[in-house]
Amino acid sequence: MSPLPQELFDAIIDQVRDKETLKACALVATSFLSPSRRNLFREIQLFGVVIGDREPSATLAEFPHLVSYIRDLTIYVWDLVSENILAMAVILRSVQSIESLVIYGGAECWSSLGDEASSALLDCLSRPSLRRLELLYVGSVPAAVISAATAIPVVSFNYVHVDMREEISEQLHASAPAPRLRHLILDAGSEVRSICDFLLHPRNPPYTQQIERLEVRINQPNASHFERIMAACAATLKYLAVNPEDIIQLPLLPSVLEVEIKVWVGYDRRLPAFFSQNISQIASSLPLAETITLVVFVDLVRLGPEIEWADEAPLPIFGPSFMDRTQLLHLRRVHCILRRQSTFGDISALFYSFVPAMESTMPGLRGTGILRCTLDNPPYLAP
């Protein structure tokens, strides 16, 4: 018997991130085996191609006791071969404590899964432990899957198309789970219309009426669909993140306390032309907003020396007369974050010109303690 408690071994091994080190730890002693496996198999990615001698799905299907360790599962559906589809179905039916599920697909990927895998995936969505679901580039998704997804607290739909060829049935309505959706993430794309049409279908349960956090990337062709979603959850929405590609139109959102707006800055280091109008729209549509977070993405891939930030006219809402405002009466913080768009380069030097640029754009915030600028510049690891 070891003189040290098992909890100490568990705590130490939980800090290990390297897979090879975890494999070595699993061979040290019986007391190391379970915590090593727990961390080795916590996050699993399943592909349709063989990696090395065996594909992970084949190993997990053969040794089902390892599936119990899975908490975060990512499945790349587009290139699954038939035997791996069956193995995936076995895994999906076995993960009882899954917390996060990500599915990458293709244009007609759902039909390629077959009845067994589709049924297993639908069963997996009903796990009480599942807290987050991400569907990315998944076409022809049955309406029953979207209905099941609304029972998950955090859901992200990125270029997801709902198969609406069959009319919403009474059976689907009767079998719909109680909505638990609190955080919805919607990306742009022509497919967003099918998501909105399903979520807001008059014969469906009120899927959107408990949403507290909403993240949307708005483009002009689909702006009206995003407006419908925002209006539908206006009564409960507390946090809104918008990634606009043009001027936005927001409905009245009387409960939103925090808003985040993302912008991309080009090589001229100038905010988009529509940015000022969007800030004005936020000021008029979010009367109780307490925090505005501005995330500014920059790309350093350019030839020649870095240029200074361009001089910009002050934003009207944050001009010198800000303290005499009639809008944003509850505003307590404007947080400007400089973030690197690509994985290359260092933007630390650029931050020193970013701060005075933001102060110049919002002169009414100087000396108020409201404006805060920070740098988000993760270290670049050379290949």
Side-chain angles (χ1 to χ4, degrees):
M1 175 177 291
S2 171
L4 299 176
Q6 181 64 39
E7 291 79 2
L8 181 58
F9 295 133
D10 293 353
I12 293 173
I13 294 177
D14 283 346
Q15 301 304 311
V16 178
R17 297 292 179 265
D18 179 66
K19 295 289 186 181
E20 295 303 318
T21 303
L22 287 170
K23 292 177 183 178
C25 288
L27 301 175
V28 171
T30 303
S31 57
F32 280 39
L33 182 58
S34 181
S36 298
R37 281 179 170 176
R38 184 175 64 246
N39 287 280
L40 271 171
F41 293 97
R42 179 179 180 84
E43 298 181 16
I44 293 295
Q45 295 186 358
L46 301 183
F47 298 84
V49 295
V50 175
I51 303 174
D53 296 331
R54 297 175 64 86
E55 208 278 335
S57 59
T59 300
L60 291 169
E62 184 176 346
F63 302 99
H65 63 283
L66 299 177
V67 177
S68 64
Y69 295 108
I70 296 177
R71 297 296 180 269
D72 302 330
L73 178 60
T74 299
I75 302 175
Y76 296 83
V77 177
W78 68 78
D79 59 354
L80 284 177
V81 295
S82 57
E83 56 267 31
N84 284 333
I85 289 178
L86 295 178
M88 182 191 76
V90 172
I91 294 170
L92 287 171
R93 292 194 186 281
S94 303
V95 284
Q96 297 299 316
S97 301
I98 187 171
E99 298 173 1
S100 173
L101 176 63
V102 180
I103 299 176
Y104 281 86
E108 296 294 330
C109 72
W110 207 273
S111 59
S112 67
L113 292 179
D115 293 341
E116 179 64 22
S118 297
S119 175
L121 184 53
L122 196 58
D123 288 345
C124 184
L125 297 184
S126 66
R127 300 281 189 273
S129 61
L130 187 58
R131 306 292 300 172
R132 183 181 182 91
L133 171 68
E134 293 185 49
L135 299 182
L136 297 96
Y137 301 98
V138 185
S140 304
V141 180
V145 172
I146 305 301
S147 177
T150 63
I152 301 169
V154 182
V155 177
S156 174
F157 295 124
N158 188 336
Y159 289 88
V160 173
H161 181 267
V162 185
D163 187 352
M164 298 284 285
R165 288 175 296 181
E166 296 184 8
E167 188 173 343
I168 304 297
S169 64
E170 292 295 337
Q171 180 180 1
L172 177 62
H173 185 282
S175 62
R180 291 196 302 152
L181 184 58
R182 299 293 186 272
H183 185 173
L184 176 62
I185 304 166
L186 285 177
D187 210 325
S190 58
E191 298 87 351
V192 76
R193 176 178 178 177
S194 67
I195 293 289
C196 295
D197 286 345
F198 177 82
L199 293 177
L200 302 179
H201 196 286
R203 292 176 61 184
N204 278 340
Y207 292 130
T208 61
Q209 293 185 8
Q210 299 181 69
I211 295 177
E212 298 177 351
R213 297 174 66 88
L214 179 65
E215 299 181 41
V216 293
R217 182 164 71 89
I218 303 176
N219 59 6
Q220 204 58 44
N222 294 302
S224 61
H225 304 306
F226 290 114
E227 291 171 27
R228 291 166 57 203
I229 288 290
M230 287 187 283
C233 56
T236 56
L237 199 62
K238 299 292 190 295
Y239 170 90
L240 174 67
V242 291
N243 181 359
E245 298 179 3
D246 207 332
I247 297 173
I248 57 177
Q249 297 294 326
L250 300 178
L252 180 63
L253 301 173
S255 301
V256 171
L257 302 177
E258 182 178 356
V259 60
E260 176 179 306
I261 182 167
K262 301 177 181 179
V263 299
W264 271 257
V265 173
Y267 297 147
D268 60 352
R269 300 298 180 242
R270 183 181 294 275
L271 294 172
F274 54 80
F275 178 71
S276 178
Q277 295 184 59
N278 285 345
I279 289 294
S280 297
Q281 177 68 210
I282 287 172
S284 60
S285 299
L286 281 60
L288 295 184
E290 298 176 354
T291 302
I292 296 177
T293 300
L294 171 62
V295 184
V296 179
F297 290 87
V298 294
D299 196 335
L300 296 180
V301 182
R302 60 169 283 120
L303 298 176
E306 179 62 49
I307 64 174
E308 292 293 320
W309 286 80
D311 291 332
E312 309 228 22
L315 296 171
I317 189 66
F318 297 128
S321 60
F322 171 75
M323 297 308 293
D324 300 328
R325 57 192 159 163
T326 58
Q327 294 178 318
L328 296 176
L329 299 178
H330 300 270
L331 188 66
R332 299 293 181 268
R333 174 61 57 85
V334 175
H335 187 188
C336 300
I337 304 173
L338 182 65
R339 183 170 295 170
R340 191 175 61 207
Q341 180 178 353
S342 66
T343 57
F344 303 98
D346 189 311
I347 58 175
S348 299
L350 186 59
F351 181 69
Y352 294 103
S353 58
F354 171 75
V355 174
M358 294 300 99
E359 292 176 342
S360 176
T361 304
M362 310 177 201
L365 301 185
R366 288 198 190 104
T368 63
I370 294 177
L371 181 61
R372 178 189 178 194
C373 297
T374 58
L375 172 66
D376 183 4
N377 187 37
Y380 166 61
L381 301 177

